[in-house]
Amino acid sequence: MNFGYEVVQYRPYPRLCTRITNLKRNQTFVADGMLLASSFLALALSTLYFNHRCNTESLPSLSAINNGLIEKLRSRRLFQNKEYEEENIFCFTSGCIKAAASVINNMDLSVDPCDDFYQFACGNFIKYTIIDDDKPSHTTFSIASDILLNKLRMIVTEPIQSNEQKPIKMAKLLFKSCMNKEKIEKDGLAPMKKLLKSLGGWPVLEADKWDDAEFTWKDSVYKIKAVTGHSVDYFIRFSIITDLKNSTLRAIELDQASLGLMGTDDKTVLGYFKYMVDIAVLFGADRRRAIKELKESLNFEIKLAKILLLAEERRDIAQLYNPMKIADLEKNYPSIPWKEYLDKLLDPLTVRHDDIIIVSSPKYLSDLEVLLCKTPKRVQANYVIWRFTAESVSYLTEDLRKRQLEFITELTGKTEREPRWKECVGISSERFSLAIGSLYVRRFFDENIKKNALEMVNGIREEMYKILSSNDWMDDETRKNALDKANSMTSHIAYPDELLDDCKLNAFYKNLEINEKDFYTSILNLTKFVTDYNYSRLRQPVNKSDWITHSKTAIINAFYSYDENSIQLPAGILQGAFFSSDRPRYMNYGAIGFVIGHEITHGFDDQGRKYDKRGNLLDWWAAETKKRFLEKVTCIIRQYGNYTSQEVGLKLNGVNTQGENIADNGGLKQAYNAYKVWSKRHGVEPRLPGLRDYTPEQMFWVSAANVWCSKYRPEALKTEITANSHSPDRFRVIGPFSNLEDFSKDFRCPLGSNMNPVKKCQVW
């Protein structure tokens, strides 16, 4: 699943009275030794605005506002109305002020929350957000990511110290070489052309000099893996995974190819083809030859696309588990020399006769054999070298990158690349995620947050336990297994302790070297390092609490692992709009609580339910209970399948998004119930300034919706709908909120209203 403000930004309210909007943001008022900062004043004024509904005749003068505000500050209240005085206490911590400002900025109070709660909670965010030219969208997640990126920039741009740990030094050197555009341009494409030559050559460049007698698709895969470290997925995806039916062991997985083509509609295919041709021409190919030869290569990739399993078909995990031995491969798919193929990829390991090899799509391998026999070698070679080249473009010259941006614009609508420093910080922090994550935690993470987050995880998981215990459609045996699974679920919060151990960090990176003067060579070294590490684990015992696996901490995201039966909540997401220890818990339970509940529920979604408490693929459901579960899931599929994104006129795919939709619905319910339990234990919390009319329960829902405030370019939204397993953000609010009776109760939504439909869907 993919999931911040630290610095509050104020956008002007369009209906804000002239007398208020004309105030300068940096204006301050001093009285009786008290300094009133602009942020506090903005909240007070926005409160007055909402109370007076912008009736300028009823507003007091500026001096009266100032004098009155000072008096109210002395008593720590913004309101002296007796109706509110006894039952309402307000929170004025900096965290509360930031939270209130952010929420007020996002809300559109002209919308009835019972009609469209997403528009109510996020309407002004959508209306007044301008998407940066280098972004396909502007979301709560992208805001948090930008804040995180600035912190990581501070880390990688610091001068290298003489006693710097090697991993940190290499991360800084990678950033430095990435920023050296002058060196990259000076080198040009000569090194890349030399590399392509060593891989067998790109026929479209070599024209008549290319000899197909020396080419086989298998040799191309061997060379790319050996020279560059790429795990070549252009024909057959090869990886080392945890055995789905025995999560204590690892296995080889052979899966269908990953494609460069993002869709098969005419516009997408034409844009992709033009991109292929233009890149080849920039490398020196004759345009007429490139058009002819790469059209054949494109047709081959389209034929590959047609033999792939559809996304809907791949949701049945059990159908993707087809274990074989090497003898089975050699018998079933005789045109491929499997012993040689696997040995070359695993080098220095070799495949054994008893190794488990999981074939995800046996039919794909059969169809691939036929397709390869019918396809000329030159077409295959143009395809594989094009795919490798396309993956390298980002690291090369500006001419190539400019053409790449034009192609990206067609897919996402963004018209500029992000600033070079952002791109280079992202590359450095991703490629050295352990080293950079270690420094991020040491410098920016508050240890108390880890404790608070763990408390929330335990409370929300307890609510899942209650749901499993009390539902009326599970038989006793299935319920017992479900409860065992919930109790066995482990949590990885913020970061593992080993991440702060310099000895362990140095040991992990000891076989890696970075060429500070050659950016692309460093990228290849890193690629080979990671690939070799992943493949080397084939026969190593599985450690489900392995610190390396759970050390990607400087990231705005959260995860559930089927084979571990665990959730991971990285340090990076425990900030901003998602979490703050300096604001009421209803804001945290609505935001990060929603995220936590979502991940927990993945253990019981349409795919997660098929794994037992140990993370093994095992059918532990009684037939009748399974039938009832599928009936409930069908309701979710139909509900979301009937939603249409009005901005682009596309319907959602209820089948492809069912797992995430189940997780959203269950996670939100658990987070709300957990907050109610916390509130009963600790008492009613204070309200936020400027939001006196909203109860803690109502603010829970507002906070949860604010997680999904977003604005997308039409091109990016289309891609989200067609390719993403998550529903667009609007429907991640509309769907689950309208299914929960507690929401309708808290906002008094009449039965039959948009947010309180008569027919509701509920799995958990």
Side-chain angles (χ1 to χ4, degrees):
M1 150 167 214
N2 299 324
F3 279 34
Y5 286 111
E6 291 205 354
V7 178
V8 180
Q9 298 177 337
Y10 295 99
R11 295 185 293 272
Y13 292 90
R15 298 170 295 163
L16 207 53
C17 313
T18 303
R19 190 174 296 169
I20 295 177
T21 55
N22 284 343
L23 287 174
K24 295 181 179 179
R25 283 178 52 186
N26 64 350
Q27 189 171 5
T28 57
F29 295 80
V30 181
D32 298 336
M34 184 184 302
L35 179 67
L36 181 60
S38 61
S39 59
F40 207 109
L41 178 62
L43 281 171
L45 294 177
S46 64
T47 301
L48 287 168
Y49 156 64
F50 287 125
N51 287 342
H52 290 275
R53 300 293 186 235
C54 249
N55 179 355
T56 55
E57 296 302 320
S58 66
L59 277 172
S61 67
L62 181 58
S63 61
I65 293 175
N66 180 32
N67 294 335
L69 184 58
I70 297 301
E71 289 302 314
K72 291 167 185 177
L73 276 171
R74 290 196 179 102
S75 64
R76 301 291 292 167
R77 302 272 184 94
L78 276 179
F79 302 95
Q80 297 301 309
N81 186 316
K82 290 183 180 180
E83 180 183 349
Y84 287 93
E85 189 169 18
E86 294 181 0
E87 56 181 305
N88 289 280
I89 301 174
F90 293 87
C91 170
F92 289 109
T93 66
S94 63
C96 286
I97 292 173
K98 290 178 182 180
S102 178
V103 166
I104 292 170
N105 244 8
N106 290 344
M107 295 171 75
D108 181 354
L109 296 181
S110 69
V111 176
D112 183 350
C114 296
D115 182 49
D116 185 343
F117 195 76
Y118 184 76
Q119 196 66 25
F120 169 78
C122 299
N124 275 354
F125 179 98
I126 299 166
K127 187 174 183 179
Y128 297 111
T129 288
I130 297 175
I131 303 173
D132 293 337
D133 292 340
D134 63 340
K135 285 185 170 65
S137 61
H138 190 77
T139 70
T140 301
F141 286 87
S142 67
I143 293 168
S145 293
D146 283 345
I147 294 170
L148 176 63
L149 211 57
N150 276 303
K151 292 177 179 177
L152 300 183
R153 184 186 190 182
M154 295 171 62
I155 292 173
V156 298
T157 57
E158 288 181 333
I160 297 174
Q161 304 299 318
S162 59
N163 61 343
E164 195 95 74
Q165 298 290 328
K166 180 184 175 182
I168 307 302
K169 181 179 179 180
M170 289 193 295
K172 292 180 177 180
L173 289 175
L174 181 65
F175 172 80
K176 187 176 180 180
S177 65
C178 178
M179 290 295 292
N180 193 350
K181 293 170 61 177
E182 183 178 348
K183 175 66 165 55
I184 294 171
E185 292 300 317
K186 182 180 178 181
D187 290 343
L189 297 180
M192 184 65 180
K193 290 180 180 179
K194 183 178 179 181
L195 176 61
L196 295 181
K197 191 78 172 176
S198 71
L199 299 177
W202 194 358
V204 74
L205 296 187
E206 301 194 13
D208 296 334
K209 295 179 182 179
W210 191 83
D211 185 2
D212 67 3
E214 300 180 4
F215 175 87
T216 70
W217 71 268
K218 300 177 290 294
D219 284 336
S220 70
V221 170
Y222 304 157
K223 290 176 182 177
I224 291 174
K225 196 275 178 178
V227 175
T228 73
H230 278 242
S231 174
V232 183
D233 300 335
Y234 311 143
F235 299 100
I236 302 169
R237 188 182 303 176
F238 177 91
S239 54
I240 304 302
I241 65 168
T242 301
D243 187 338
L244 301 184
K245 290 197 173 182
N246 185 350
S247 59
T248 64
L249 301 175
R250 291 190 173 91
I252 297 168
E253 182 185 52
L254 300 175
D255 203 350
Q256 61 193 25
S258 60
L259 303 180
L261 187 62
M262 299 295 291
T264 55
D265 61 280
D266 291 343
K267 183 179 178 182
T268 300
V269 172
L270 180 59
Y272 182 64
F273 175 59
K274 288 181 177 179
Y275 177 52
M276 295 170 68
V277 170
D278 288 347
I279 293 297
V281 170
L282 286 171
F283 268 88
D286 174 76
R287 181 169 290 277
R288 285 178 297 181
R289 179 181 290 275
I291 291 172
K292 178 182 180 298
E293 293 196 15
L294 295 183
K295 182 64 179 294
E296 295 171 337
S297 174
L298 172 67
N299 288 335
F300 173 72
E301 190 167 354
I302 291 173
K303 290 175 182 177
L304 273 178
K306 290 180 178 179
I307 65 174
L308 302 181
L309 285 176
L310 298 175
E312 291 89 341
E313 297 173 304
R314 291 181 66 84
R315 294 206 68 83
D316 187 351
I317 299 295
Q319 296 301 314
L320 302 181
Y321 187 81
N322 302 283
M324 300 182 186
K325 301 294 177 63
I326 192 166
D328 300 319
L329 289 176
E330 291 170 339
K331 176 183 177 182
N332 297 335
Y333 316 104
S335 71
I336 300 174
W338 287 107
K339 174 73 168 123
E340 172 194 286
Y341 186 80
L342 297 176
D343 283 351
K344 290 284 188 179
L345 294 185
L346 286 171
D347 184 58
L349 298 179
T350 57
V351 68
R352 298 174 181 170
H353 72 279
D354 60 342
D355 279 330
I356 299 170
I357 303 165
I358 299 171
V359 178
S360 295
S361 176
K363 186 177 184 302
Y364 171 78
L365 288 185
S366 297
D367 292 343
L368 178 66
E369 281 189 300
V370 175
L371 179 58
L372 289 171
C373 286
K374 293 180 178 180
T375 305
K377 289 184 176 182
R378 190 177 186 96
V379 175
Q380 296 177 25
N382 270 323
Y383 163 73
V384 69
I385 298 299
W386 151 249
R387 290 293 311 282
F388 173 74
T389 302
E391 292 182 358
S392 305
V393 166
S394 295
Y395 310 113
L396 301 174
T397 65
E398 281 306 306
D399 283 344
L400 291 176
R401 287 160 53 84
K402 182 179 179 181
R403 183 58 185 90
Q404 183 189 51
L405 175 61
E406 292 173 9
F407 176 59
I408 292 172
T409 299
E410 294 180 29
L411 297 176
T412 67
K414 77 173 191 176
T415 57
E416 290 184 8
R417 280 190 176 277
E418 62 185 356
R420 184 77 183 189
W421 73 263
K422 281 190 175 183
E423 188 172 350
C424 293
V425 169
I427 291 171
S428 182
S429 61
E430 179 183 357
R431 299 282 181 152
F432 283 98
S433 58
L434 275 65
I436 297 299
S438 177
L439 280 185
Y440 172 78
V441 167
R442 297 178 205 226
R443 184 168 304 181
F444 297 109
F445 190 72
D446 181 355
E447 191 64 30
N448 291 326
I449 292 176
K450 190 173 183 178
K451 178 182 177 182
N452 292 337
L454 183 59
E455 178 190 15
M456 291 181 67
V457 169
N458 291 336
I460 293 169
R461 187 170 60 173
E462 179 64 26
E463 293 309 310
M464 185 69 200
Y465 190 89
K466 293 177 184 176
I467 291 170
L468 293 170
S469 299
S470 62
N471 70 65
D472 59 3
W473 53 272
M474 297 184 86
D475 67 282
D476 290 342
E477 185 63 24
T478 303
R479 189 191 312 278
K480 178 180 180 300
N481 290 328
L483 292 172
D484 283 346
K485 182 171 184 178
N487 278 330
S488 301
M489 190 178 292
T490 56
S491 305
H492 302 279
I493 307 301
Y495 64 92
D497 293 338
E498 292 91 336
L499 192 64
L500 305 184
D501 187 329
D502 290 337
C503 292
K504 284 185 167 58
L505 277 177
N506 284 314
F508 177 74
Y509 289 106
K510 68 179 180 179
N511 294 324
L512 176 64
E513 296 296 333
I514 292 297
N515 185 340
E516 62 178 291
K517 296 181 180 180
D518 187 341
F519 175 52
Y520 186 58
T521 297
S522 292
I523 291 294
L524 294 181
N525 288 349
L526 280 156
T527 302
K528 191 173 189 306
F529 171 76
V530 172
T531 300
D532 289 347
Y533 170 75
N534 288 334
Y535 290 4
S536 71
R537 299 191 300 168
L538 174 60
R539 298 188 183 97
Q540 294 178 6
V542 175
N543 176 7
K544 296 185 180 182
S545 60
D546 176 36
W547 72 276
I548 295 173
T549 306
H550 304 101
S551 284
K552 199 166 186 177
T553 57
I555 185 174
I556 310 296
N557 213 329
F559 311 93
Y560 174 78
S561 171
Y562 294 131
D563 58 302
E564 290 183 359
N565 187 27
S566 70
I567 68 167
Q568 184 170 345
L569 201 65
I573 199 172
L574 295 170
Q575 61 164 320
F578 298 97
F579 183 89
S580 170
S581 57
D582 194 23
R583 67 182 187 183
R585 292 297 181 97
Y586 50 75
M587 297 297 292
N588 290 337
Y589 274 91
I592 199 65
F594 189 178
V595 175
I596 293 168
H598 174 104
E599 301 306 336
I600 289 173
T601 310
H602 268 312
F604 302 91
D605 67 12
D606 66 303
Q607 293 179 312
R609 73 166 188 87
K610 297 175 181 178
Y611 294 81
D612 67 10
K613 66 180 182 180
R614 296 181 179 86
N616 295 321
L617 188 63
L618 179 69
D619 188 358
W620 47 271
W621 290 67
E624 186 61 30
T625 299
K626 184 193 301 184
K627 179 182 176 183
R628 292 170 185 163
F629 174 87
L630 294 176
E631 288 171 353
K632 291 177 175 293
V633 172
T634 298
C635 184
I636 291 284
I637 292 173
R638 289 174 178 169
Q639 176 188 2
Y640 284 82
N642 284 324
Y643 287 140
T644 297
S645 174
Q646 299 300 329
E647 297 95 325
V648 293
L650 288 179
K651 270 196 167 188
L652 275 57
N653 188 319
V655 175
N656 286 347
T657 59
Q658 61 179 296
E660 301 298 337
N661 298 333
I662 293 168
D664 279 345
N665 279 266
L668 183 63
K669 179 180 179 180
Q670 293 158 40
Y672 180 81
N673 290 344
Y675 174 66
K676 293 292 287 184
V677 169
W678 186 93
S679 182
K680 286 180 181 178
R681 187 179 301 126
H682 296 89
V684 178
E685 293 188 282
R687 303 191 182 195
L688 295 180
L691 294 160
R692 71 173 188 176
D693 293 331
Y694 297 98
T695 66
E697 289 77 14
Q698 289 174 326
M699 287 307 301
F700 167 92
W701 303 107
V702 171
S703 179
N706 270 214
V707 167
W708 304 113
C709 289
S710 63
K711 188 171 184 177
Y712 278 80
R713 298 184 188 279
E715 299 88 344
L717 185 54
K718 286 180 181 178
T719 301
E720 285 286 306
I721 293 172
T722 56
N724 201 323
S725 61
H726 301 80
S727 296
D729 293 345
R730 166 179 288 277
F731 303 103
R732 300 191 73 169
V733 173
I734 298 298
F737 285 49
S738 65
N739 283 331
L740 291 174
E741 292 183 0
D742 285 319
F743 167 79
S744 295
K745 178 182 177 182
D746 288 340
F747 276 92
R748 299 176 184 175
C749 295
L751 187 64
S753 61
N754 286 341
M755 295 302 301
N756 187 14
V758 175
K759 179 175 175 56
K760 295 179 173 64
C761 296
Q762 180 177 303
V763 179
W764 301 112

